[in-house]
Amino acid sequence: MELFQYVQKETILHKLNPMTKVIIMAVLTIMSLLTMDIIILVGILSVVVLMFIVSRLEKELSKQLVYLFFIGLSLLILTVISMGEGTVVFTLIPKSIPYVGGAIPITIEGVTFGSSLALRFSIMILSFQMLLLTTQPKDIVHIMIDKFKIPQDYALMFLIAIRFVPTVYMEAKKINEAQISRGYHPSGLLIGKIKSAYPIITPLVLNSLARAEILGMAIETKGYGSAKRTSIQNFKMGSKDILLSAIFIAVLPFYVALLLNLF
Amino acid sequence: MKAISIENLDYSYKNGFEALKKINLEIGSGEFVAIVGENGSGKTTLVKHFNGLLLPSNGKVSIFGEDTRKSTRTYLTSNVGLIFQNPDTMLFADTVEKEVLFGLRNIDIEETKNRVDKSLKSVGLDNYKEKFPRYLSRGERQRLAFACIIAMKPKIIILDEPTTGLDARESRKLLDIAEDLRSKGHTIIIVTHSMELVAEYSKRTIVMENGSIFYDGPTRDLLSRRDNKLIKKPAITELSHLYDGILRLDNFSVEDIASELASIYKTRGGI
């Protein structure tokens, strides 16, 4: 389960200061939020994918793409179905059917808007993943506390949440195996699947709460919050960090100007 | 017909790790078999093949002659019960009774009441039917997990490190239940690190090392081998290896024997 998990590699992105990666992620996210143009969004997505390739995280990317494809597809379908205004290409229910015929029109605007949303979503998720996959969680927390002045408790909550995603996933897998051993077979239909998730969700929540309690006690016994926090590492921006940060920050006003047709 | 037969089983995880290599094994009905070995030696991966949770990368696993690849989930669940190390991975219902009922409903058993009562009685939880499973002690929860499987009446019962976190009394209770089931014809397979329990309950032991079977034979012979570093033998076995002569029990009090063994223990450098 590589989702949200740091992957140790010796690449330029891994070696960058976490702050630089936060800037890159923020710039790419802002850029994607400022436009609905599919071509531009595809271009931004290509930059993110290129970063995955540079970081030698192609395997991780391919796994993420499967999830992203289904989420993106769901977004697209929901938008297309719910956006009835615009140039109608066809209707899901043929006009020849009495009373309901002509309902649920599929419009060009709906498809375009849905595609843009799916692309935006993919850019945001992948650039955030890029940050998490190439940065140790403790370094992210360090940046959160020292640079963004986020209270230590909230930063720790973020760290624990990220750290426990794979643990909870493994726990869910074990619970699923235990229930399958008792003949558990979720119903095939969506409603049935949701209803039959109860034997998995209940132990998962209860075990997670028990784990959280133990973790709370463990960090308290280690003296958490009893003294002023100091840091062993001192993150300094190197020449590569300054250069890359400058490039990405400089791109942003040009990009805005381009979108506003100022050139 | 053998309860379990395995031919040339290989299993690799998705990340390429070869967990099992060329496993050949047969386990007969009514046997009590212990599977031991170091952490990561492939014990749990092997037993997950018995109820179809994992399917072989190569080779074949058969349960009463039926290939697990071709068997239905209901067939495997009805014939092979697997009890996990941590009972909390399976407990979700709001009463002990409903917890046991879950498995029975999954395999479409109709005579549920009788089965629930019998299985809870067999593990000593017949007075806990209305209790919330999570309020039970760790040992009781483990016995409840056992009852959930017993109620489904599988011919093969696998206990994957069932005594972890249990005191000696609860461990013994659990193994006594397993031995009772074996005497009634069930095949019992226990994955454990406790050689004391293996020595006491299991006549046959399989030792695994790096995904292969290192030893498969009588527990007695395994314990008599002095060269085996893969398992931690029971203290009394180690002491008997340290003591080369014959320990005569006649005319000695318990204190004398204990003192004699303690002196051997000290002079030979401990266990």
Side-chain angles (χ1 to χ4, degrees):
Chain A
M1 176 64 179
E2 283 79 14
L3 194 67
F4 299 136
Q5 225 174 356
Y6 171 69
V7 179
Q8 173 74 48
K9 299 259 164 130
E10 288 293 317
T11 72
I12 181 168
L13 264 137
H14 284 80
K15 287 176 188 166
L16 284 178
N17 187 308
M19 193 61 199
T20 312
K21 286 180 261 188
V22 170
I23 291 170
I24 295 173
M25 186 196 80
V27 169
L28 291 171
T29 305
I30 293 167
M31 284 168 78
S32 68
L33 289 173
L34 288 176
T35 185
M36 291 298 287
D37 191 304
I38 290 179
I39 296 168
I40 297 174
L41 287 171
V42 169
I44 300 169
L45 187 62
S46 309
V47 174
V48 181
V49 170
L50 188 71
M51 281 162 63
F52 268 88
I53 294 166
V54 171
S55 317
R56 300 212 312 271
L57 295 168
E58 299 92 337
K59 209 171 98 184
E60 286 74 16
L61 175 68
S62 60
K63 282 179 188 170
Q64 309 287 324
L65 284 179
V66 179
Y67 298 112
L68 277 177
F69 175 76
F70 284 107
I71 298 170
L73 193 68
S74 313
L75 262 176
L76 181 66
I77 293 169
L78 281 173
T79 316
V80 167
I81 290 174
S82 59
M83 225 174 125
E85 286 177 18
T87 319
V88 179
V89 184
F90 66 94
T91 57
L92 268 188
I93 300 173
K95 285 180 180 164
S96 54
I97 297 174
Y99 305 113
V100 288
I104 318 178
I106 306 299
T107 63
I108 293 173
E109 287 78 3
V111 174
T112 315
F113 188 66
S115 307
S116 303
L117 280 186
L119 282 167
R120 263 185 187 177
F121 180 78
S122 304
I123 291 165
M124 285 191 276
I125 292 289
L126 285 178
S127 50
F128 185 59
Q129 284 272 17
M130 168 58 59
L131 173 73
L132 296 180
L133 288 168
T134 59
T135 318
Q136 295 224 28
K138 64 180 172 60
D139 297 345
I140 298 175
V141 169
H142 181 91
I143 292 294
M144 286 169 80
I145 296 170
D146 290 356
K147 305 288 178 197
F148 295 105
K149 304 294 175 202
I150 291 169
Q152 191 178 330
D153 288 349
Y154 293 102
L156 186 74
M157 265 161 45
F158 171 79
L159 176 69
I160 291 169
I162 295 292
R163 158 69 186 80
F164 273 88
V165 169
T167 311
V168 171
Y169 174 79
M170 289 307 293
E171 179 80 13
K173 210 174 155 193
K174 274 186 196 167
I175 292 168
N176 193 39
E177 283 181 348
Q179 304 302 34
I180 285 174
S181 300
R182 299 165 76 189
Y184 168 71
H185 46 85
S187 167
L189 296 168
L190 185 66
I191 300 290
K193 274 206 166 90
I194 293 167
K195 275 185 186 170
S196 57
Y198 183 63
I200 307 290
I201 301 292
T202 312
L204 186 64
V205 171
L206 292 172
N207 294 354
S208 299
L209 288 174
R211 183 174 282 121
E213 201 182 341
I214 292 166
L215 181 73
M217 283 192 277
I219 59 174
E220 271 184 30
T221 55
K222 287 179 179 176
Y224 174 75
S226 59
K228 194 178 179 298
R229 185 184 168 277
T230 55
S231 177
I232 296 172
Q233 277 175 294
N234 184 20
F235 291 102
K236 279 191 176 168
M237 297 281 270
S239 54
K240 282 177 193 161
D241 293 302
I242 294 166
L243 182 70
L244 269 168
S245 303
I247 291 172
F248 272 87
I249 292 169
V251 159
L252 204 53
F254 283 103
Y255 176 77
V256 175
L258 186 78
L259 292 179
L260 296 172
N261 289 322
L262 293 179
F263 291 114
Chain B
M1 188 183 292
K2 293 287 175 191
I4 299 169
S5 55
I6 300 173
E7 294 164 39
N8 298 318
L9 168 66
D10 293 326
Y11 184 78
S12 299
Y13 282 100
K14 279 179 187 170
N15 61 8
F17 175 70
E18 275 186 85
L20 297 175
K21 299 160 204 162
K22 290 277 169 287
I23 302 278
N24 284 290
L25 184 66
E26 282 195 338
I27 295 173
S29 292
E31 275 197 78
F32 196 125
V33 182
I35 302 178
V36 298
E38 293 171 338
N39 289 334
S41 58
K43 307 182 292 293
T44 300
T45 307
L46 177 64
V47 297
K48 279 183 181 174
H49 278 84
F50 298 166
N51 75 340
L53 280 178
L54 296 177
L55 294 172
S57 301
N58 288 307
K60 189 176 160 189
V61 176
S62 303
I63 304 299
F64 296 107
E66 279 221 24
D67 190 342
T68 55
R69 282 180 185 282
K70 294 168 189 163
S71 307
T72 61
R73 167 62 37 211
T74 308
Y75 174 82
L76 289 171
T77 311
S78 308
N79 282 290
V80 186
L82 175 58
I83 297 144
F84 284 79
Q85 179 183 344
N86 181 3
D88 295 340
T89 53
M90 66 155 71
L91 304 180
F92 73 97
D94 47 6
T95 66
V96 164
E97 186 179 22
K98 285 180 188 168
E99 196 65 66
V100 182
L101 273 171
F102 175 70
L104 298 178
R105 287 186 177 145
N106 284 334
I107 54 168
D108 302 324
I109 302 291
E110 285 174 8
E111 45 128 359
T112 53
K113 195 183 178 306
N114 189 27
R115 283 209 189 188
V116 170
D117 290 347
K118 270 190 175 176
S119 64
L120 285 175
K121 197 174 180 189
S122 68
V123 300
L125 293 175
D126 40 337
N127 293 325
Y128 292 71
K129 273 167 83 173
E130 295 306 319
K131 283 211 169 182
F132 181 51
R134 297 264 170 172
Y135 287 166
L136 303 180
S137 72
R138 169 69 197 247
E140 287 166 344
R141 293 205 301 277
Q142 190 62 281
R143 279 189 276 141
L144 172 58
F146 206 165
C148 291
I149 298 298
I150 293 171
M152 294 163 80
K153 291 189 179 172
K155 290 174 195 147
I156 302 164
I157 297 176
I158 307 159
L159 299 110
D160 189 1
E161 300 191 30
T163 57
T164 308
L166 299 188
D167 60 32
R169 201 174 146 194
E170 277 292 350
S171 300
R172 241 163 251 289
K173 264 188 196 173
L174 209 67
L175 270 291
D176 284 343
I177 298 164
E179 172 53 29
D180 183 50
L181 288 165
R182 191 210 58 79
S183 69
K184 289 173 184 162
H186 292 267
T187 305
I188 306 291
I189 298 162
I190 175 171
V191 175
T192 184
H193 289 289
S194 168
M195 286 310 293
E196 273 82 5
L197 292 173
V198 171
E200 199 174 334
Y201 290 92
S202 172
K203 285 197 167 63
R204 177 182 171 191
T205 300
I206 295 163
V207 183
M208 296 200 63
E209 186 193 16
N210 294 329
S212 303
I213 292 177
F214 171 80
Y215 175 88
D216 180 7
T219 306
R220 192 187 172 91
D221 292 354
L222 174 72
L223 296 178
S224 67
R225 284 169 67 157
R226 289 168 185 240
D227 59 328
N228 186 7
K229 301 287 176 203
L230 282 175
I231 55 161
K232 188 183 183 317
K233 291 171 191 144
I236 192 69
T237 312
E238 293 285 0
L239 275 170
S240 72
H241 284 172
L242 288 169
Y243 188 77
D244 293 328
I246 298 166
L247 190 66
R248 291 190 185 284
L249 301 179
D250 304 339
N251 304 321
F252 279 97
S253 66
V254 173
E255 287 77 14
D256 291 336
I257 296 165
S259 144
E260 173 80 349
L261 290 173
S263 69
I264 297 164
Y265 178 82
K266 276 182 189 167
T267 52
R268 299 294 179 91
I271 294 167

